[in-house]
Amino acid sequence: MPELPEVEAAAIVARRVLVGRQLVAIATHHPSQRRALPPRHAARLAGRRIVAVERRGKSQLVHFDDGAVLLVHFRMNGDWHVGASDAPLPPHARVALTLGGGTRLCLVDSRALCTVSYHAPGSPPHLELGPEPHQLTAAGLQQAFARRRVPIKHLLLDQKVIAGLGNIYAAEALWRARLDPRAPASALGSARLAALVAGIKAAIADGFARQGRYREGAREHAFKVYDREGLRCRRGCGAIVRITQAGRSTCFCPGCQR
């Protein structure tokens, strides 16, 4: 699933293509998208000008000049595709935004799990999200973790605790902080919380440095534990193992994450 760095990279593309342009039409190309964005809602946006594209957590918000908002979520593997409005649709196009000047921005998704929803002027989407990683503090995490005896990894994936952090960068952050993902969140003292905050920010910064999806740029900015099951820990203290937590894979090093 695209996480914060990947969604921000996509939002930069959308911002460059959309902001300041007039939307000629928006069309849906899959039944699930038509349910989320029915034609009567899409028609309200025709002729409107896009004034901003904002990222919040893993969501993108496209703001129009009348105050309406399109809320976009890639889900598992959505992405933007930029092309000419008279060109054939790209494979797996689910929603197509045609702009003045002959440009089209398509939301492509092979699984058709992505969502686009219309929010009328004066009724912005309500996103129950915690702070962005760059806003995190040890004191804030301590408050969120207090009396929560669930494993740390579970809480790191809770978007109400941290917006935009997902499975990959949570595992990377825990390795950097030398924390066992199975440890109860409430057991962390101030020093370990500070190390976790630093680990989260460093992992996200590495994600931004890749400038693309997961494996792109991996040679220059290699993952520390993600997708490295059975390989030697980069600290040289043993092999990376993989466990399952709440139905998700977690890679970590038992030798240094205690």
Side-chain angles (χ1 to χ4, degrees):
M1 175 184 288
E3 300 185 24
L4 189 156
E6 293 79 35
V7 176
E8 179 60 27
I12 290 171
V13 172
R15 206 171 287 132
R16 172 175 55 81
V17 173
L18 296 177
V19 173
R21 309 283 289 277
Q22 184 182 50
L23 181 69
V24 175
I26 180 169
T28 53
H29 297 279
H30 191 274
S32 66
Q33 305 309 322
R34 285 190 286 276
R35 286 192 294 271
L37 183 65
R40 69 181 185 278
H41 289 168
R44 296 176 187 174
L45 296 172
R48 308 284 359 160
R49 186 171 60 87
I50 295 123
V51 297
V53 175
E54 173 191 10
R55 181 198 56 76
R56 185 73 174 92
K58 300 179 188 179
S59 297
Q60 298 169 74
L61 296 88
V62 181
H63 296 267
F64 290 81
D65 57 1
D66 65 344
V69 176
L70 272 183
L71 179 63
V72 180
H73 200 297
F74 283 166
R75 299 298 176 191
M76 293 299 294
N77 64 341
D79 206 351
W80 293 120
H81 177 278
V82 184
S85 58
D86 58 355
L89 285 171
H92 311 300
R94 306 306 180 190
V95 180
L97 290 78
T98 301
L99 308 166
T103 302
R104 184 175 62 206
L105 183 68
C106 288
L107 177 51
V108 295
D109 179 3
S110 60
R111 299 189 184 184
L113 297 175
C114 59
T115 59
V116 178
S117 57
Y118 171 82
H119 297 264
S123 301
H126 179 61
L127 302 177
E128 295 185 19
L129 298 174
E132 298 277 330
H134 73 274
Q135 300 170 322
L136 283 178
T137 64
L141 272 192
Q142 186 172 38
Q143 185 175 5
F145 286 6
R147 296 183 297 279
R148 303 287 296 275
R149 293 198 57 79
V150 297
I152 308 168
K153 175 79 179 303
H154 291 195
L155 283 189
L156 292 183
L157 299 183
D158 185 342
Q159 298 300 293
K160 294 180 182 179
V161 175
I162 305 171
L165 195 65
N167 196 49
I168 294 171
Y169 294 107
E172 292 289 290
L174 288 166
W175 182 87
R176 290 173 179 275
R178 296 176 180 258
L179 292 173
D180 189 317
R182 301 165 297 185
S186 59
L188 298 188
S190 56
R192 288 182 176 267
L193 285 167
L196 180 55
V197 169
I200 291 169
K201 293 180 178 180
I204 293 294
D206 257 9
F208 280 122
R210 282 187 189 85
Q211 292 295 308
R213 292 290 183 91
Y214 313 134
R215 296 181 186 280
E216 297 175 26
R219 180 174 298 176
E220 295 81 8
H221 301 277
F223 286 113
K224 309 304 183 185
V225 289
Y226 170 69
D227 202 28
R228 298 193 70 245
E229 179 186 5
L231 299 178
R232 191 166 180 80
C233 174
R234 297 194 186 281
R235 295 189 179 108
C237 51
I240 303 298
V241 302
R242 182 177 65 85
I243 60 173
T244 300
Q245 294 182 288
R248 305 292 300 276
S249 293
T250 298
C251 290
F252 75 107
C253 173
C256 61
Q257 293 179 247
R258 300 180 180 275

